[in-house]
Amino acid sequence: MSHDIPTAARPAPDRKPDPSDRTRNPSERKQNPSDRKHGPYPAPGPPAPQAPAALHPSGLVTLLLGAALPMIDFFVVNVAFPSIESDLGASPAALEMVVAGYAVAYASLLVLGGRLGDALGRRRLFLWGVAAFGATSLACGFAPGVWWLTAARAAQGAASAMMFPQVLATIQATSEGRARSRAIGLFGSVGGISVVTGQVLGGVLVAADLGGTGWRAIFLINVPVVLVILAIGARTVPESRSESPARGDTAGTVLLACGLIALLLPLTEGRAAGWPWWSIALLGAAALLAYSFFAVERREERAGRSPLLPPSLLREPGVRRGLLIGAPVFLGFSSFMFESALLLQQGLRYGALKAGLTLVLMGLAQFAASVRAPRLTERFGAGRVLVLSAVAQGTGLGALLLALFVQWPGLPPVALAPALLLCGLGQGLQFPTYYRILLSGVPAARAGAGSGLAATAQQAGFALGVAALGSLFLALTPQYGMREALAAVLALQACGLLALVVTGVRMPRTVG
């Protein structure tokens, strides 16, 4: 049995003592091959990975500000629609593409952005994404035409997909215990705050017409915010990365993006163009691309690689239930925000600032409900909370239509307040409940893939809601009027809410 005695004090039997051993530090002494093989100095191995530095409050604030930028930008553009329409000569269908293009790029690249952060470093990808977001905001602010703006918005969505996934991943990797719970809670509340901020900020900036910039200010204001995030984030956000990052799924990413574009382009532009042959062909191509996407993902998963969205997750009952819940929630929410912006400014003749302030109460209610949703779910179960959310929102939509039909078109904002309050409460309960139900059906070892699926489904739902229900609203408005068109679309949304009630009633109490 050998003892851990320094070799310098006990010469090895297979060589003569080196006189310098008496004075040399053992850690600095040269070793012969027998020392390295049998002695107490083992051969050096690969360095152990360093744990990332702890996340401090200043770094957390920087990350949360970065997370808010993509959400604010989704909502801020709604208030500026009439100004963009008059300044660029944009058709209503083109305005749909301004919203949908952003959401398509965001949805298609969200999972890829998370994987790049795992491999290259999350702080690095976060800062790159922030810088790209600033550059694309400049491109949006100086857009000479509506299709330039649409392309710049798509690039802005791609930048958001690079930046946003790093926020929650960095929080998970650089904090623990109560600090992590608090940080995740703050991250969850960013969505509700962003709704309020986007609506108010858009109205204020368009109404102020800073330097004659008009609607362009809603994009140009991002640039100084980006510079602040870059300056502070480089010093306060700790670097982290995955020890075994998943490889990218290029084929899946390309097929998903092409499939969404092939579906959304005819839905938004086909109606205005009289449904030409290319729109029908694209719808057929969308079905083919969807089949190809799932075939590629299935092949990647069977080969032991890392598909963008693993098809086997769809076999989990909780995942299927979550996606079923998310469809009416996200399609209804994005289309409602699109339609309400046009209704308030073009139907009720509100100015941009007045329209933005009218929606503040809904945003505040959504924020408050999203904060309370986890506690309500623990007490009553996810199914009952889902039923409550659908009833609250459905009552709000009914109250909104009642107010519109009673006082149209001279309807003051205060008359809309009760309806918008109920809608906000319902929406605020739905978003966290969706994530809770879907992710509860995902095995712990596949939490990353489940989170990517949940976020991608949300953004794709946002894009489809504007393209499908928004197009229906625009198609019905010329013949029946804006109020009646909104009633038809909200009736479809109410059917989705009824499906939520049925799903919630049938759901086991312990789910989620």
Side-chain angles (χ1 to χ4, degrees), residues 129-344:
V130 170
F133 190 89
T136 53
S137 294
L138 278 175
C140 291
F142 290 107
V146 68
W147 289 110
W148 176 291
L149 178 60
T150 301
R153 283 281 288 173
Q156 196 177 40
S160 299
M162 189 189 307
M163 167 177 53
F164 187 80
Q166 319 313 328
V167 177
L168 188 56
T170 299
I171 291 173
Q172 292 276 25
T174 59
S175 61
E176 57 185 13
R178 184 173 297 178
R180 177 188 290 177
S181 299
R182 187 162 49 244
I184 293 176
L186 290 172
F187 173 81
S189 67
V190 165
I193 296 173
S194 298
V195 174
V196 180
T197 304
Q199 301 294 345
V200 177
L201 184 64
V204 169
L205 291 174
V206 172
D209 193 20
L210 301 174
T213 55
W215 62 268
R216 300 177 188 274
I218 67 173
F219 299 112
L220 298 178
I221 195 67
N222 292 333
V223 177
V225 178
V226 161
L227 294 176
V228 170
I229 294 176
L230 290 175
I232 301 176
R235 293 179 296 165
T236 62
V237 176
E239 183 62 284
S240 66
R241 67 185 71 206
S242 173
E243 295 181 20
S244 55
R247 60 187 292 272
D249 179 10
T250 305
T253 302
V254 172
L255 285 170
L256 177 61
C258 292
L260 287 172
I261 292 170
L263 178 62
L264 295 175
L265 192 60
L267 287 178
T268 54
E269 297 296 321
R271 174 194 57 81
W275 297 104
W277 67 268
W278 60 262
S279 62
I280 307 301
L282 278 179
L283 288 174
L288 181 61
L289 287 166
Y291 175 81
S292 301
F293 171 73
F294 283 106
V296 167
E297 298 302 275
R298 190 180 300 112
R299 184 189 65 198
E300 289 285 300
E301 189 170 32
R302 287 175 177 172
R305 292 187 283 267
S306 302
L308 190 71
L309 299 174
S312 62
L313 281 180
L314 299 179
R315 292 196 291 269
E316 300 288 344
V319 173
R320 294 199 302 268
R321 187 183 292 115
L323 294 176
L324 181 65
I325 290 167
V329 170
F330 301 132
L331 269 69
F333 177 73
S334 61
S335 68
F336 179 80
M337 298 305 295
F338 176 80
E339 295 145 13
S340 62
L342 297 177
L343 176 79
L344 293 177

Side-chain angles (χ1 to χ4, degrees), residues 76-100:
V76 74
V77 73
N78 289 332
V79 182
F81 278 154
S83 300
I84 296 173
E85 184 177 16
S86 61
D87 187 31
L88 300 182
S91 67
L95 294 178
E96 288 181 86
M97 286 302 300
V98 170
V99 178

